[in-house]
Amino acid sequence: MAVFLHGLTNEREISAALRFLSRHDIPYFAQGGAHGYSPTLAVIQHAVMIKMERFDEIRFNDDNSVTVGGAVLFGDLMSALYAAGRELTVGSCVCVGSTGAMLGGGHGRLQGKHGLTSDALRSVRMVLWNGTVVEASESKNPDLFWGMRGAGHNFGVVIESTYETFPQENDGMHYNADMVFTSDSLEGVINVINSLIPDQDPALALDLLFFIDPSTMSPVIFLNLVYAGTQAEGQRYADLFASTNPGNSTTGPRISRLSVDASVATFGDLNNVAAGGAITAACATGSRQNAYTSTLRTLDVSTMRQLFASFATFVQENPLAINSLILFEIFGQEGIDAKPNDYSAYPNRGFANVLTLLQMTYTNDAVADAADTWARQWRDTLTLPDVSGYPQQHVYENYAHGDEPLEAIYGYDEWRRERLTSLKRKFDPKDNFNGYHAIPLDGMW
Ligand SMILES: Cc1cc2nc3c(=O)[nH]c(=O)nc-3n(C[C@H](O)[C@H](O)[C@H](O)COP(=O)(O)OP(=O)(O)OC[C@H]3O[C@@H](n4cnc5c(N)ncnc54)[C@H](O)[C@@H]3O)c2cc1C
């Protein structure tokens, strides 16, 4: 149970609140976009939820950087960027908090061009547990600045963040194609996707979804393709997924495309248009989400076939989970890998070709246990080195379920553990920010 603290409007009030709550040992946490779904948040009980909703300002600076309040949502940020003729890597869902996402790294369709959202962070203004207001950047508190980009849920409440932005290309217009395929096209579609992953075009972003059509209870293969460039360039990629000639062995397994819905969208509207708005539909409240994740080098064809069949059977046998889906985000890696491995606390450079989400969605808890078991088992399968293509488990912090080893979330290098532990001891010595994949103060992980 939580008590909500609404209406705080400035850093002085946040500072006073944190000072008071910490002094009286009252648990608390900040809420930005309200889209954090990690079960680890459950450790925060009988807490004060500090609603950051009034920290919603977006302002552009003379050097084209943009400063955004701690509760600004990606949808509002995209509209503002588009209007200003600028761009930045943002998440795929309009209602996700830009700060909450950035603190874990921040994946998005433009990452091939510009890296993670957090890679563009230039400074952050925040309040620590004892009410102290600090700024973190390359020149001020650089150690904290390093940790805020990838492990940032651990250290304080962000008042505002300032990002470098980039001139928008192609007048901010993006090609979008939503495609549906027959079930027997799975191998063909995956073969094409796998062929695109090495050195993926930085402007190309693919979202492969499996879901169940409620009218037929049959599984659907849905591919969203976004190209941050001209229609002709995007169309060239969409054509790779056009129906192929049965029996033509030179083209590999057959693809039979049932539909293609192609359009051009502004950057400001892209998330509402892409995937027919399916990802944005996750903004709807009222249902429970239980997600597991895995990171893959490529999509293992035979495992994908088994997963697709198993998912269909699971939902057919458990129709209460009808709104569940499986999502594979296949975004460019060039911008992420351009930064050195120790650039920030984000640990997955070189290990994040495909982000998988096994997203169980339901309103009736009667299906909760079955959904949890099914998704966890498949997460475990997808994590096997032979399947994932990576020798170790790598997990995006913001998608983590929370039962993964912390090394999988924050990295396997010993120096990362030491650096994060020392930051935790220095900036959150009483472990007040412990609700989101907390770094233990004792360094035991
Ligand atoms: C439908 C959906 C789509 C998503 N798409 C993407 C995506 O495309 N890319 C991506 O990278 N991630 C994505 N995510 C994951 C998302 O980044 C995380 O769930 C993120 O933590 C959500 O942040 P929030 O502010 O919306 O949530 P909240 O529940 O408000 O916060 C989540 C965590 O962030 C902390 N937090 C939020 N704001 C602040 C602040 N101002 N100061 C300090 N701490 C703060 C909270 O205390 C909490 O620990 C998606 C999630 C969902 C549900």
Side-chain angles (χ1 to χ4, degrees):
M1 200 185 72
V3 173
F4 299 96
L5 194 50
H6 285 277
L8 303 188
T9 56
N10 60 56
E11 69 184 30
R12 264 183 301 105
E13 291 171 349
I14 298 282
S15 167
L18 262 56
R19 204 166 41 244
F20 176 87
L21 294 168
S22 296
R23 189 178 296 153
H24 293 89
D25 283 331
I26 301 169
Y28 55 84
F29 81 108
Q31 190 183 63
H35 274 74
Y37 52 72
S38 173
T40 61
L41 284 168
V43 303
I44 309 173
Q45 293 291 330
H46 308 294
V48 173
M49 188 191 285
I50 302 168
K51 304 279 282 182
M52 299 296 291
E53 61 211 344
R54 305 284 283 273
F55 293 80
D56 59 354
E57 192 192 358
I58 302 173
R59 62 175 190 277
F60 285 87
N61 307 305
D62 290 344
D63 61 357
N64 278 323
S65 63
V66 64
T67 300
V68 305
V72 166
L73 306 181
F74 275 134
D76 296 325
L77 181 55
M78 289 174 83
S79 300
L81 286 163
Y82 175 65
R86 309 295 296 180
E87 63 183 38
L88 170 69
T89 299
V90 291
S92 307
C93 190
V94 290
C95 55
V96 167
S98 57
T99 302
M102 176 279 289
L103 295 174
H107 281 277
R109 293 191 177 97
L110 291 183
Q111 66 181 40
K113 293 170 68 182
H114 306 307
L116 302 162
T117 307
S118 62
D119 289 343
L121 188 72
R122 290 297 160 258
S123 66
V124 65
R125 192 164 175 83
M126 58 191 284
V127 184
L128 303 178
W129 68 283
N130 57 3
T132 311
V133 178
V134 295
E135 206 162 307
S137 66
E138 288 294 356
S139 55
K140 293 181 191 159
N141 294 303
D143 51 349
L144 179 61
F145 184 56
W146 179 87
M148 289 302 286
R149 297 168 292 163
H153 297 101
N154 278 280
F155 304 116
V157 174
V158 174
I159 300 296
E160 61 181 30
S161 315
T162 297
Y163 299 92
E164 178 181 359
T165 68
F166 307 89
Q168 70 188 10
E169 290 181 37
N170 196 39
D171 291 330
M173 304 306 287
H174 295 242
Y175 174 83
N176 181 78
D178 292 333
M179 298 173 263
V180 177
F181 303 90
T182 57
S183 291
D184 61 355
S185 302
L186 186 63
E187 287 76 7
V189 169
I190 286 175
N191 273 4
V192 176
I193 292 174
N194 282 341
S195 74
L196 294 170
I197 288 177
D199 304 320
Q200 181 165 332
D201 184 331
L204 176 67
L206 302 170
D207 275 305
L208 175 67
L209 288 99
F210 300 161
F211 60 86
I212 304 295
D213 179 343
S215 62
T216 61
M217 291 304 280
S218 303
V220 176
I221 303 169
F222 184 102
L223 182 67
N224 169 248
L225 183 155
V226 172
Y227 194 81
T230 65
Q231 188 166 2
E233 290 168 302
Q235 175 87 51
R236 195 165 51 85
Y237 283 110
D239 286 348
L240 298 176
F241 296 94
S243 296
T244 50
N245 222 344
N248 181 350
S249 57
T250 58
T251 56
R254 176 170 172 240
I255 293 178
S256 181
R257 188 166 65 181
L258 292 170
S259 67
V260 54
D261 182 5
S263 58
V264 170
T266 67
F267 185 55
D269 204 26
L270 181 62
N271 281 357
N272 294 317
V273 172
I279 299 174
T280 288
C283 294
T285 53
S287 50
R288 281 200 237 308
Q289 311 274 357
N290 182 11
Y292 285 87
T293 187
S294 166
T295 300
L296 314 172
R297 185 189 292 278
T298 55
L299 297 165
D300 181 70
V301 176
S302 67
T303 308
M304 290 303 116
R305 170 56 70 190
Q306 291 164 36
L307 172 63
F308 184 68
S310 172
F311 177 58
T313 305
F314 170 74
V315 178
Q316 285 154 2
E317 291 175 352
N318 297 276
L320 290 173
I322 184 73
N323 291 326
S324 303
L325 59 79
I326 301 175
L327 170 67
F328 303 93
E329 293 181 322
I330 307 123
F331 300 161
Q333 299 297 308
E334 193 176 303
I336 298 177
D337 296 345
K339 302 280 188 222
N341 180 35
D342 62 354
Y343 182 72
S344 70
Y346 174 85
N348 289 342
R349 294 178 206 278
F351 299 101
N353 286 358
V354 180
L355 301 183
T356 305
L357 266 183
L358 305 158
Q359 178 103 27
M360 301 290 103
T361 304
Y362 45 87
T363 51
N364 186 330
D365 282 344
V367 77
D369 287 348
D372 186 74
T373 301
W374 184 87
R376 185 162 23 82
Q377 284 175 349
W378 268 103
R379 183 277 312 271
D380 292 347
T381 299
L382 295 177
T383 301
L384 295 171
D386 283 354
V387 175
S388 75
Y390 294 131
Q392 291 167 307
Q393 182 180 17
H394 297 273
V395 169
Y396 173 36
E397 194 254 358
N398 267 318
Y399 288 178
H401 187 84
D403 61 341
E404 304 89 349
L406 281 178
E407 295 95 321
I409 298 175
Y410 292 122
Y412 291 87
D413 304 307
E414 180 62 15
W415 61 265
R416 284 187 183 275
R417 189 181 61 75
E418 286 170 6
R419 198 165 174 180
L420 287 171
T421 303
S422 111
L423 281 176
K424 186 73 175 173
R425 288 178 183 157
K426 182 171 172 188
F427 291 102
D428 186 31
K430 308 262 187 208
D431 201 20
N432 287 284
F433 296 94
N434 65 354
Y436 213 76
H437 317 130
I439 294 162
L441 282 166
D442 63 8
M444 299 301 284
W445 53 286

